[in-house]
Amino acid sequence: AAQSALRACMEALDHKDLDALDDFAGTNSTVEVVARVVFKNFAAKLAAAGGVVAPITRLEVVVMESDIAGASYFEEDAAGLLVPAAAAPAPAASNVLCATNLPPDYDAAALSVLFRQFESFQEAMLVPGDKRVAFVQFADAAGAAAARERLGG
């Protein structure tokens, strides 16, 4: 069932103009976004297919755009990911932000200056090999939410 579900997800994107598909409406079809869309569609197909023998506690989709560049999207939940939406608990708020589409000249010092204005800011780390992406850690989820809202998502 999983192989068929993944094949269906990939066939829906194969040789398509991603920006014209509903799943990508209002977003840039970056490799990070593609990974998230494939994940969401794959998880939905798995849940709809049923017949899962044991709870799936972690699911990750990795999309490679070349032999050295790619992105992944994952979710994990000890209770199981493929719980029907009505029964699924609300996702826990995170104290870590993933900042994307950063200017190419940004470094860790520039990120620190940007996020230091938020009281619970702790650390900013650029993703090695891709200075356009960084993870920013706050002491609490409220600090991360405030930064996301104030900086426009």
Side-chain angles (χ1 to χ4, degrees):
Q3 190 175 29
S4 298
L6 183 57
R7 184 175 292 116
C9 290
M10 299 312 296
E11 285 174 354
L13 304 178
D14 192 28
H15 292 89
K16 302 285 190 323
D17 175 4
L18 300 181
D19 296 323
L21 299 177
D22 290 343
D23 285 332
F24 297 91
T27 65
N28 292 328
S29 54
T30 63
V31 69
E32 295 86 1
V33 173
V34 172
R36 181 181 49 80
V37 166
V38 170
F39 174 95
K40 295 294 185 187
N41 290 341
F42 181 54
K45 287 184 184 310
L46 282 178
V52 177
V53 176
I56 296 174
T57 58
R58 179 182 167 100
L59 185 61
E60 181 173 12
V61 170
V62 178
V63 176
M64 299 299 296
E65 59 185 340
S66 74
D67 60 336
I68 59 171
S72 68
Y73 182 89
F74 77 93
E75 289 183 13
E76 59 187 331
D77 185 338
L81 290 171
L82 303 180
V83 178
S94 176
N95 67 321
V96 178
L97 289 181
C98 178
T100 59
N101 298 320
L102 297 171
D105 60 337
Y106 259 43
D107 59 13
L111 282 171
S112 292
V113 168
L114 176 64
F115 288 100
R116 195 173 294 131
Q117 65 182 301
F118 300 100
E119 209 172 290
S120 66
F121 168 73
Q122 291 182 322
E123 179 182 22
M125 292 183 353
L126 289 164
V127 171
D130 189 352
K131 289 187 170 191
R132 296 170 301 145
V133 179
F135 290 98
V136 184
Q137 184 172 351
F138 295 84
D140 52 41
R148 182 178 55 248
E149 186 175 314
R150 192 137 160 248
L151 297 174

